[in-house]
Amino acid sequence: MRFDGWIAGMGTSSGTRIVLGHWQRSPFGAFSDVMLERADGHRLLLAPTRETADFISGTYVFDTVHVVPVEVSVTDDAWTITAGPLDLRFTTGRRGLLGFALRTVPGALARRPAWSALTDRPAPLLLPGVRTRGSAGQGRREWYGARDLLPIRAVSAAYGGADLGAMAPVEPPVRFGFGSAPRNPSVTRVTTTVELGPA
């Protein structure tokens, strides 16, 4: 199963870390989802349908799953996200050298698990916490092929009306799956491939 889109990861000064998946193409059509890990370690998924919630929670680990409307608007460098009780806004900056390098990766290559296996070793050296392949829930395997990287420059977030604080690194790393989002808040264009397990 293949997903093409963007993953945004950011921390807040309250200790909450947020990972947004914004998928233009997927087996479920276009959709977005949000994963949060609070300062106390509680992991939460906000997904737009029961079908997407079941698939994501079968691939990653959460303590709570909510099916809520998830809306994402992108205008130039400004992203606005509403996901049930979460209101999130962030802005991106100019891509750096790594972003320019990733933009040269052809889409056909990014979709190949062998490419993700090749990049898995250097990935955490360039972006601490990041893995590009690993085991997922229910015997599934997963590969990430990155094709762009933009830094996040500012974040505004509230959950249930409570301000989550200023932008901060994704620290400690999130614990939804085998890897984390980059420590420095960023948005990555990515092709994610999931191989289903025996079940």
Side-chain angles (χ1 to χ4, degrees):
M1 302 181 75
R2 185 164 288 128
F3 300 75
D4 288 306
W6 298 82
I7 296 176
M10 66 214 77
T12 67
S13 56
S14 68
T16 298
R17 287 89 73 209
I18 303 169
V19 178
L20 164 72
H22 181 51
W23 308 106
Q24 282 85 31
R25 290 180 297 277
S26 86
F28 308 105
F31 77 98
S32 300
D33 65 273
V34 182
M35 308 177 191
L36 297 95
E37 184 169 353
R38 297 174 178 155
D40 62 4
H42 190 89
R43 294 162 295 186
L44 173 67
L45 171 65
L46 305 173
T49 65
R50 174 50 57 188
E51 186 179 32
T52 56
D54 288 346
F55 179 81
I56 297 168
S57 62
T59 306
Y60 304 100
V61 180
F62 301 95
D63 302 296
T64 304
V65 175
H66 291 308
V67 176
V68 296
V70 180
E71 297 180 2
V72 177
S73 173
V74 183
T75 304
D76 297 325
D77 61 352
W79 292 59
T80 303
I81 299 92
T82 303
L86 177 71
D87 291 301
L88 172 65
R89 292 173 179 78
F90 62 86
T91 56
T92 58
R94 295 180 179 179
R95 66 178 52 83
L97 292 177
L98 182 55
F100 281 111
L102 291 173
R103 280 170 60 86
T104 67
V105 177
L109 183 60
R111 290 190 289 270
R112 295 179 64 86
W115 173 252
S116 298
L118 182 66
T119 59
D120 188 54
R121 183 164 292 182
L125 300 177
L126 297 169
L127 299 168
V130 171
R131 297 284 310 280
T132 59
R133 67 168 179 169
S135 299
Q138 298 187 10
R140 298 171 183 176
R141 295 195 297 166
E142 193 170 15
W143 296 267
Y144 293 97
R147 299 181 59 197
D148 200 355
L149 179 71
L150 295 169
I152 293 176
R153 295 303 185 199
V155 173
S156 172
Y159 190 89
D163 186 8
L164 297 180
M167 184 179 76
V170 182
E171 188 63 39
V174 291
R175 302 172 300 115
F176 308 118
F178 60 83
S180 177
R183 182 181 185 277
N184 293 326
S186 58
V187 184
T188 306
R189 184 182 178 190
V190 67
T191 298
T192 301
T193 303
V194 180
E195 181 183 77
L196 300 181

